[in-house]
Amino acid sequence: MSNKDKSLLFDKSVDLVFMFLGLYAAIAVQDLVDHQKDKQNYQQLLSGFKEELESNQDQRSNIESKLGKLEEINDIGESGASFKFFSSQGKYMDQFLDCYLDMKLKSIKKKSLSDKRIKSCKVLFKKGFKLKAPEHLDLTPVYRKDVWRFYLAGGVQLFQMFEKKVKEARCTIEGKPSYGLAICIGSIYTVLKKVEEQVAEIQSLVNDTYFNRQGILDAEFKNFKRVVKTLGKRTDGEAISILKKHTAHLKSDVQNGQQAVDVSLSLMRFKIKQLKKTALALDQRFNEVLKALNKEIK
């Protein structure tokens, strides 16, 4: 082989080396770009979690506005309004029915009443029942889960790539230390779901109990008024018997309704206590995880 051929072969070998070096450099640069992009996405994901958890933490005020301060376990806040209304209404109706029957019997000269009784009944009729009926109780917090859904869709890999290993626990789950940031964040959303379920139970218990019992009572009272209207000015023994029968029936409905409401009220108090305990634990978890997120972001 001539010197010229050797020189040409050497040049081609050098070109080939440079080509491979260039290709490697291009791949390395692209890997670096991809790595930086992934790192940036990881930082954005962490910031997203921070913003979302802070927003969810603010829902504490929404719960407290309806159920009272979380630390005041026995306070049931606005949730007791419908029970209080029903009890006040039931008490008034019971007194009203007694007065109505007494005054009706007096008017047909079948029963004598003291002046004191007559006066108290007239005051009761005039005063009436003026409490405003409660509206549906709306407790449901609106927790954000957009970032969590994004994490499940593809953010897991980012945590696997970039999450820093630490010697100190990121959070405490059921009394045990957890070192994985993703696990700590995931545990937050598990508790959020539990809070939402507890809130829904309380809301349904209040609304279903009150409006169901109120509906029954309203229907019975309308029926009572229809009977009274039908009897008109009748004063015979049959009319008096019918009036007494329907009065006793309505009084019994009021009493049964009150007993059912009292049972639901006791159950609701228990559920609110459980919810507040869960919410307090959640609030502590929020603080732990947000602190860990801030460290990871830095």
Side-chain angles (χ1 to χ4, degrees), residues 4 26 131 217-218:
K4 184 177 180 181
L131 282 182
L217 200 58
D218 289 344

Side-chain angles (χ1 to χ4, degrees), residues 16 22 37 74 79 91 94 99 110 145 148 151 160 207 211 217 222 237 243 256 259 290 293:
L16 188 62
K37 185 177 180 181
N74 293 319
S79 63
K91 184 179 179 181
D94 190 67
C99 273
K110 293 288 185 178
K145 299 175 183 175
W148 177 245
Y151 166 77
Q160 291 174 340
N207 293 329
F211 287 102
L217 200 58
K222 285 181 180 178
L243 184 60
N256 291 336
Q259 289 174 348
L290 284 171
L293 271 169

